[in-house]
Amino acid sequence: MRVHRLTFAALAVVAGLSLTACNSDDGAAQSDSSSAPSASSSAGGSDSGGSGTGGSDQVGSDQAGSDQAGSDQAGSDQSNGNGSDGKGSGGQGTVAGTGSNANGKVGKCRTDELEVTATDSTIDGDTEGSVAVTFKNGGGRDCTLAAYAGVDLKTNQGELSAKRTGQEASPMVLKDGKSVSFGISYPLNKSGGSGVRITGLVVTPPNETKSVTLDWPGAATLPVTDGSGSPVQVGPIGSAGQGG
């Protein structure tokens, strides 16, 4: 009986050792199994952060998101009138001001763009003689004329410069194909003497240096003066006639 008990006890120990070994193997297998995903996860993280396909896809996705955000922002700016289509307050001002006379976009009239003529405008009974000088714009564009033109008379005693009447006048826009006139007044020679003979008229458009020489259409002579000043006066642009 003692021998059987010892045998059973020995079998129980062997069985316990075998069970322990099995459990140990199962635990190691489970440990190995749980560590495998960790290694795989590590490898996947390396791909997404490096130069591999996963990293490239991630960067492309971020870039697409950034582009989408920029597009949304541009749309928002446009709807608020801040875009570059000129519908905002700044763009509208730029478009409205282009070529505008009010904004000083019209250049001055050049001598070569003007047809200059002179006619006698003296009326019977006037105490003074008068000549009307006309500027016709033939330059193919609108242009501006300042208040006074330059006027000189050529005489047998030298050149005589006309003085301004002093009338106030503002610069004006002369439309292409249109005309405007100004007047020259001078004393009539009623002395009975030969006087000062007029041989020509020199006209210089406002703010120009190039002049035009015309035949003098008025009285042939001026009375002799004492040299105290010019007896010839020039009016501002628009002071003769209504233009056309």
Side-chain angles (χ1 to χ4, degrees):
M1 182 65 77
R2 182 177 177 84
V3 174
H4 287 293
R5 288 179 180 175
L6 290 175
T7 301
F8 283 123
L11 291 174
V13 171
V14 171
L17 292 176
S18 299
L19 181 60
T20 300
C22 290
N23 289 338
S24 177
D25 292 341
D26 290 342
Q30 291 177 359
S31 176
D32 292 342
S33 176
S34 62
S35 64
S38 176
S40 174
S41 175
S42 175
S46 175
D47 288 344
S48 64
S51 60
T53 303
S56 177
D57 290 345
Q58 181 65 30
V59 172
S61 176
D62 291 344
Q63 181 64 36
S66 175
D67 292 344
Q68 181 63 35
S71 176
D72 292 343
Q73 181 65 34
S76 175
D77 289 345
Q78 187 172 3
S79 64
N80 289 334
N82 296 325
S84 59
D85 59 355
K87 295 182 180 180
S89 59
Q92 186 176 6
T94 300
V95 173
T98 302
S100 171
N101 293 342
N103 289 343
K105 300 297 184 182
V106 179
K108 69 177 181 179
C109 296
R110 302 286 187 180
T111 302
D112 292 338
E113 297 174 323
L114 298 172
E115 179 184 342
V116 187
T117 56
T119 58
D120 184 12
S121 58
T122 305
I123 299 175
D124 289 343
D126 285 352
T127 58
E128 289 187 320
S130 61
V131 168
V133 177
T134 301
F135 289 141
K136 182 176 181 180
N137 183 2
R141 66 180 181 94
D142 297 350
C143 59
T144 58
L145 288 170
Y148 285 87
V151 170
D152 298 284
L153 298 186
K154 289 185 175 182
T155 75
N156 62 341
Q157 296 185 10
E159 199 165 272
L160 179 65
S161 295
K163 63 181 180 181
R164 296 177 178 182
T165 61
Q167 294 173 259
E168 292 185 5
S170 300
M172 62 161 292
V173 175
L174 184 60
K175 297 290 186 179
D176 182 39
K178 297 297 182 179
S179 301
V180 67
S181 301
F182 65 90
I184 302 171
S185 61
Y186 61 95
L188 297 173
N189 183 16
K190 298 179 180 180
S191 66
S194 60
V196 178
R197 185 165 54 89
I198 304 173
T199 60
L201 170 64
V202 180
V203 178
T204 308
N207 296 321
E208 278 285 87
T209 58
K210 185 175 181 179
S211 301
V212 175
T213 301
L214 306 170
D215 292 335
W216 173 250
T221 63
L222 296 172
V224 177
T225 65
D226 58 5
S228 60
S230 174
V232 182
Q233 291 188 315
V234 55
I237 302 296
S239 62
Q242 299 298 318

